Amino acid sequence: MAKKAIFKCSECGASYTKWSGRCDGCGAWNSIEEEVPLSTAGPAKKTLGAMKGRSIPLTDLGTTEAPPPRTMSGMSELDRVLGGGLVDASAILVGGDPGIGKSTLLLQGAARFAEAGLKVVYISGEEASAQVRMRAQRLGLSHAPVLLGAETNLRDILTTLETEKPDLAIIDSIQTMWADHVESAPGSVSQVRAAAHELTTFAKQRGMAVILVGHVTKEGQIAGPRVVEHMVDTVLYFEGERGHQFRILRSVKNRFGPADEIGVFEMTGGGLSEVSNPSALFLSERGEPTPGSVVFSGIEGTRPVLVEMQALVAPSPHSQPRRAVVGWDSARLAMILAVLEARCGIAFAGLDVYLNVAGGMKISEPAADLAVAAALLSAREDAALPKDTVVFGEISLSGAIRPVGQTENRLKEAQKLGFSTAIVPNAKKDGDTAGMQTRTFADLTGFVGDIFGAG
Ligand code: TYD
Ligand code: MG
């Protein structure tokens, strides 16, 4: 039986059995169109048809399997971010700004994995082998049994990997790779996608782990690593500010471990060195207490990390005052400013506000809200917080200070680094926890009144 045609108004959605020039529902003219029922969309030949496929085995959820085998590089910052070492036959994407140190990190990682017994092939599409060797010499890695290749033709690379059968292949970078069956320039979305697809499928079939390097590009001239994020098991981003020596390797997706784990490195003349106690490093440049500086006790992945939040508030010469943020979310800053104004009556109108997370760290936790508010108030009132104080807590739009997770860990880390007082949400009782004096606040108004005597 032929399906009855349905006509629908594209303005208000009213349906009719026949076309008319004007919709009775909303009065619009010429808005009624025929709607094609779903079941007849597209010619029948384009579907899979009647031919049967093979049936696939299904299992239940209770079936247990051994955890995937892993290899440790011995660089503990790298191993932790990978979720406890490199998983066999996994596909990993390492993204980051050009020049941030991806090639350096992966060459050092390649050498360590090779020393741990893996057969490692490093393919560079950006530099000649001689250049990579020179870097290796500079890093003191020339003795490491890593096999080098300089090539961009994907077919040749896959043929080489087929004969060499490495345990780990590093492709630096995915944007320089070129698959000859795709008719577009290297670095275009379709080339990057095709190359990543070929490499990850090859890796899964042959039991080889593959690390793809991807440049993050702001101009959008070449396809960024985002287009291949869904194809790989693990996505790591290598971040840091150019002017700072700190580099942070962050896992944003990991099928084999926790996401949001970070590894901290320092770029030195001899390559990247691991930073096993990041809090001490992030706070090392801190001097006497200054207005606008507040130490936040944060959690990055499984580790507590202390960082300094710096704020500067100054009268603005512009009609539209500036709000500049480095290392934090600018929408979140706008929210904190609005809450301070609406709930505590502290206005920042006519004032420029600058906020910076010291050391080139990026913070995304809402637990930093209270530390940011404290830094802003401290800068505005020109009153420094005591030197031995850390702050954490989430601020809601109502002005309430909400409890955050892992309070104990945050306090312990602060205590370890010589802090004695913590300003925290109300979930904890006032008093002594983990050797720290805690001062609790239920809302922002109470906090402002008590700490800054304003409000
Ligand atoms: P690189 O690994 O080439 O960056 P990417 O592959 O992400 O583009 O690193 C480039 C920067 O690192 C370069 O500006 C110099 C610096 N660097 C050092 O400071 N020390 C070193 O030992 C090395 C190898 C590089
Ligand atoms: Mg590079």
Side-chain angles (χ1 to χ4, degrees):
M1 189 185 86
K3 285 244 170 66
K4 250 201 202 136
I6 297 174
F7 296 86
K8 263 202 168 145
C9 171
S10 58
E11 300 282 325
C12 68
S15 52
Y16 302 92
T17 48
K18 62 181 200 305
W19 189 87
S20 73
R22 183 168 184 264
C23 171
D24 288 340
C26 64
W29 285 96
N30 259 339
S31 63
I32 294 174
E33 289 161 9
E34 181 173 355
E35 191 167 74
V36 185
L38 261 187
S39 56
T40 60
K45 281 190 201 112
K46 290 250 174 77
T47 68
L48 276 178
M51 203 169 81
K52 282 219 176 73
R54 117 196 115 82
S55 61
I56 53 167
L58 303 171
T59 57
D60 60 26
L61 291 172
T63 312
T64 52
E65 257 170 79
R70 294 175 182 262
T71 312
M72 302 294 233
S73 66
M75 284 168 91
S76 57
E77 294 296 301
L78 177 61
D79 289 337
R80 193 185 42 253
V81 176
L82 287 172
L86 178 74
V87 174
D88 282 10
S90 62
I92 297 156
L93 172 72
V94 177
D97 288 330
I100 204 74
K102 299 180 296 297
S103 304
T104 310
L105 173 75
L106 290 176
L107 192 59
Q108 286 182 264
R112 300 298 285 267
F113 280 120
E115 278 160 7
L118 295 189
K119 179 169 180 181
V120 183
V121 170
Y122 185 105
I123 307 280
S124 177
E126 304 197 330
E127 296 161 295
S129 296
Q131 269 174 301
V132 181
R133 270 200 302 276
M134 251 163 60
R135 179 184 286 134
Q137 247 153 33
R138 196 166 143 203
L139 300 172
L141 301 172
S142 23
H143 58 277
V146 177
L147 299 168
L148 283 185
E151 185 52 66
T152 56
N153 185 328
L154 195 61
R155 197 179 290 275
D156 295 347
I157 291 170
L158 290 177
T159 310
T160 312
L161 295 177
E162 179 94 66
T163 43
E164 290 289 338
K165 297 193 174 47
D167 302 305
L168 168 64
I170 295 171
I171 308 292
D172 187 2
S173 64
I174 189 71
Q175 279 112 345
T176 54
M177 293 301 138
W178 173 70
D180 54 20
H181 67 287
V182 178
E183 275 180 43
S184 56
S188 63
V189 172
S190 35
Q191 276 290 0
V192 166
R193 255 204 217 125
H197 176 74
E198 293 288 334
L199 283 161
T200 46
T201 0
F202 179 91
K204 300 276 160 200
Q205 281 166 359
R206 314 297 150 101
M208 169 190 90
V210 62
I211 300 182
L212 309 174
V213 176
H215 293 295
V216 173
T217 52
K218 297 215 166 63
E219 313 77 40
Q221 292 287 354
I222 49 176
R226 294 220 157 249
V227 302
V228 294
E229 273 186 358
H230 66 280
M231 291 184 209
V232 295
D233 301 310
T234 303
V235 178
L236 310 178
Y237 277 94
F238 205 37
E239 344 169 304
E241 298 290 325
R242 274 300 170 79
H244 288 283
Q245 70 271 41
F246 314 123
R247 297 284 182 270
I248 290 150
L249 185 66
R250 186 188 294 276
S251 70
V252 296
K253 160 181 169 180
N254 196 349
R255 287 185 184 145
F256 305 110
D260 259 330
E261 192 67 82
I262 65 163
V264 184
F265 298 86
E266 193 176 353
M267 185 59 100
T268 68
L272 291 159
S273 62
E274 296 179 66
V275 176
S276 48
N277 189 346
S279 301
L281 190 73
F282 287 133
L283 297 181
S284 64
E285 291 165 358
R286 207 164 145 265
E288 284 308 299
T290 42
S293 151
V294 168
V295 177
F296 164 57
S297 187
I299 299 282
E300 291 292 333
T302 54
R303 262 194 318 184
V305 176
L306 300 195
V307 286
E308 184 190 349
M309 309 295 246
Q310 304 169 336
L312 177 68
V313 175
S316 177
H318 312 290
S319 58
Q320 187 86 17
R322 283 200 63 145
R323 269 84 177 104
V325 193
V326 178
W328 210 52
D329 182 18
S330 53
R332 200 94 197 159
L333 173 67
M335 190 197 98
I336 303 288
L337 291 172
V339 173
L340 280 171
E341 174 150 13
R343 308 293 172 196
C344 313
I346 300 173
F348 285 80
L351 297 170
D352 281 340
V353 176
Y354 299 90
L355 183 76
N356 177 38
V357 181
M361 181 80 180
K362 284 197 180 79
I363 303 282
S364 53
E365 259 194 301
D369 290 354
L370 191 57
V372 170
L376 293 171
L377 289 166
S378 158
R380 191 180 183 276
E381 304 295 315
D382 203 27
L385 247 64
K387 189 177 181 177
D388 56 3
T389 306
V390 296
V391 180
F392 59 85
E394 183 178 343
I395 296 175
S396 71
L397 287 178
S398 66
I401 298 176
R402 295 170 41 179
V404 295
Q406 307 210 34
T407 302
E408 208 76 4
N409 278 344
R410 296 176 201 265
L411 293 175
K412 260 194 219 141
E413 178 78 358
Q415 198 259 345
K416 228 168 49 189
L417 284 145
F419 290 86
S420 58
T421 310
I423 296 175
V424 300
N426 214 0
K428 274 249 155 309
K429 286 231 156 42
D430 258 341
D432 221 25
T433 323
M436 296 277 291
Q437 190 68 32
T438 52
R439 298 181 65 182
T440 62
F441 293 96
D443 59 47
L444 207 50
T445 322
F447 167 77
V448 171
D450 212 32
I451 305 289
F452 295 99

